[in-house]
Amino acid sequence: MGRIQRKKTESQKLKLKEKQKLRKDTHADILADQGPSSKKLPDQKKQIQTKAHYSVKTTGINNEPGLIEKVKAFFNEVKSETKKVVWPEKKQTIASTAVVIVLVIIISSFLGLVDVGLKGLISLVLH
């Protein structure tokens, strides 16, 4: 089945044109910035280009970052992401652990009973 095409309002057309222009401008800026840049980037370009791209030193013929620089950038990003983590409090951790242990005991008991029941049923059928 084909799609139903709805007529777009003028405001929707303008928004679509703005998005397309923004994409073209951002793409052109990315192509223009082949290497690390010392100038400040607009917010839109920061969303597309990673922070590591601008903080890593380049080595070699192709201006690709070396292994050591990649590893350093990776651990710097891990460190910054770890700072953003909201760690649970001690009470929450203990409560969650207790819930997991109780559920494991209940489920394993249920499966054990089902196993014993099926074993008995099979032994009756085979004899």
Side-chain angles (χ1 to χ4, degrees):
M1 300 200 116
R3 288 186 180 175
I4 297 174
Q5 301 243 342
R6 296 183 183 150
K7 292 185 180 181
K8 295 181 179 167
T9 63
E10 290 299 319
S11 62
Q12 289 174 336
K13 289 179 184 178
L14 287 174
K15 287 179 184 178
L16 183 61
K17 285 181 183 179
E18 289 174 6
K19 285 182 184 179
Q20 289 173 347
K21 183 179 178 189
L22 178 64
R23 286 182 190 150
K24 287 179 184 177
D25 291 344
T26 306
H27 184 67
D29 290 342
I30 291 171
L31 292 177
D33 293 336
Q34 292 291 324
S37 177
S38 61
K39 63 184 179 180
K40 298 280 184 180
L41 296 173
D43 289 337
Q44 295 142 353
K45 285 173 64 180
K46 283 184 183 177
Q47 292 173 356
I48 295 173
Q49 296 171 339
T50 62
K51 184 178 177 183
H53 175 73
Y54 290 97
S55 63
V56 175
K57 295 180 182 177
T58 57
T59 59
I61 298 171
N62 297 334
N63 286 336
E64 293 180 10
L67 178 64
I68 295 173
E69 287 82 14
K70 286 182 181 179
V71 171
K72 285 181 183 178
F74 172 76
F75 282 111
N76 284 337
E77 289 178 17
V78 168
K79 184 178 177 182
S80 66
E81 289 295 323
T82 305
K83 289 180 181 178
K84 297 176 187 176
V85 174
V86 178
W87 298 101
E89 295 178 7
K90 188 175 181 178
K91 286 183 178 182
Q92 291 174 330
T93 306
I94 291 171
S96 299
T97 304
V99 167
V100 169
I101 290 171
V102 167
L103 284 175
V104 166
I105 291 171
I106 291 171
I107 292 172
S108 61
S109 300
F110 173 75
L111 290 176
L113 290 173
V114 169
D115 185 44
V116 168
L118 289 176
K119 182 180 176 183
L121 184 66
I122 290 174
S123 66
L124 283 175
V125 170
L126 292 178
H127 288 314

